[in-house]
Amino acid sequence: MPRLVHLCVTAGKRAALLRQAMQQRPHLELREVDWHAWLRGGETIHPLLRPGDVLRVDSPARDPRVDAELLALGAAADLPSGTPRATAAEARALPEEKGCVRYPDQWFAGFEAALGRLRQEARRASGFRWANDPGEIAWMWDKTRTSEALAEAGISVPRLWSAPTSYEDLRNRGERFRCFLKLRTGSSASGTLAYRRLAEREVAYTTVDLP
């Protein structure tokens, strides 16, 4: 029987919805691998893969334990000078705060490292196929890289500004304009701010919970 091997947050909503959908496909078997267990070394991918299997990588978002492990994995990354960062021990000791976005560059470095490890493990198996390639996942997670690649391919995309260094820098971009401020790397609308200026009038909407 063909199988779908699913690297996911097993306690998350996305995994639950896929389980529900798979009930309509009795000819397919589902084998779940939890992101946190895999990152901690509790499971490896290649012994699970059989010829004919499909390996699907789901988002690791919305699990603070997974976030902590990815931050720890990215602690050794070569990040630009001045980038906020935490040690691996500090990352694993961070208190859980719903919706809190911490050290996004370090998190992404850890995510890229995890995807690289996943690819290396999977190379030891044969006869399976990827539902979504790890290299392409990392590429699409990077909003700047994605925007530039689409523009080079002749696809219309919003104009990409350089990152503002301060509120004053953003405000001085013009008398009348609107823009979206997003993390360079991140999931969906995480940390997004929609900003509009009309002379002295300004309005901003964000997905971030502000104190």
Side-chain angles (χ1 to χ4, degrees):
M1 177 183 293
R3 299 188 312 164
L4 177 64
V5 179
H6 190 208
L7 179 61
C8 61
V9 176
T10 53
K13 181 178 179 180
R14 296 164 67 96
L17 289 173
L18 182 59
R19 277 183 227 116
Q20 183 179 345
M22 290 289 286
Q23 293 176 3
Q24 309 302 317
R25 301 288 185 273
H27 61 287
L28 289 174
E29 180 183 344
L30 177 64
R31 174 62 165 88
E32 292 183 334
V33 180
D34 184 68
W35 260 107
H36 184 254
W38 178 74
L39 286 168
R40 296 288 287 175
E43 287 197 89
T44 53
I45 290 292
H46 69 273
L48 304 176
L49 294 173
R50 305 191 303 228
D53 284 352
V54 176
L55 175 54
R56 182 178 191 271
V57 184
D58 205 349
S59 170
R62 299 189 178 183
D63 186 331
R65 301 173 310 150
V66 176
D67 285 340
E69 289 303 321
L70 291 174
L71 282 172
L73 192 57
D78 184 17
L79 300 176
S81 177
T83 301
R85 62 192 307 160
T87 66
E90 289 169 340
R92 291 192 175 104
L94 288 170
E96 181 180 342
E97 293 184 46
K98 183 178 179 180
C100 184
V101 180
R102 296 187 174 105
Y103 309 107
D105 290 336
Q106 180 175 332
W107 187 97
F108 183 65
F111 184 48
E112 283 194 302
L115 291 172
R117 173 185 144 193
L118 177 64
R119 183 186 288 279
Q120 288 296 325
E121 284 190 15
R123 282 177 178 162
R124 299 172 64 182
S126 61
F128 78 97
R129 63 184 176 88
W130 294 97
N132 44 356
D133 182 85
E136 293 178 356
I137 293 171
W139 184 83
M140 289 185 288
W141 207 276
D142 186 327
K143 294 179 174 64
T144 301
R145 191 189 309 176
T146 302
S147 180
E148 291 173 347
L150 291 173
E152 289 174 4
I155 298 172
S156 178
V157 294
R159 182 159 56 101
L160 186 64
W161 280 355
S162 59
T165 57
S166 64
Y167 164 68
E168 288 73 19
D169 181 18
L170 171 65
R171 199 171 187 277
N172 291 334
R173 298 294 173 102
E175 286 288 323
R176 294 174 176 269
F177 69 92
R178 57 184 176 182
C179 66
F180 284 96
L181 286 88
K182 299 182 177 182
L183 296 172
R184 181 181 66 85
T185 60
S187 172
S188 189
S190 175
T192 296
L193 176 75
Y195 174 83
R196 184 176 185 180
R197 182 182 180 195
L198 294 173
E200 297 305 313
R201 298 174 58 192
E202 299 170 83
V203 63
Y205 301 93
T206 181
T207 60
V208 178
D209 287 334
L210 300 176

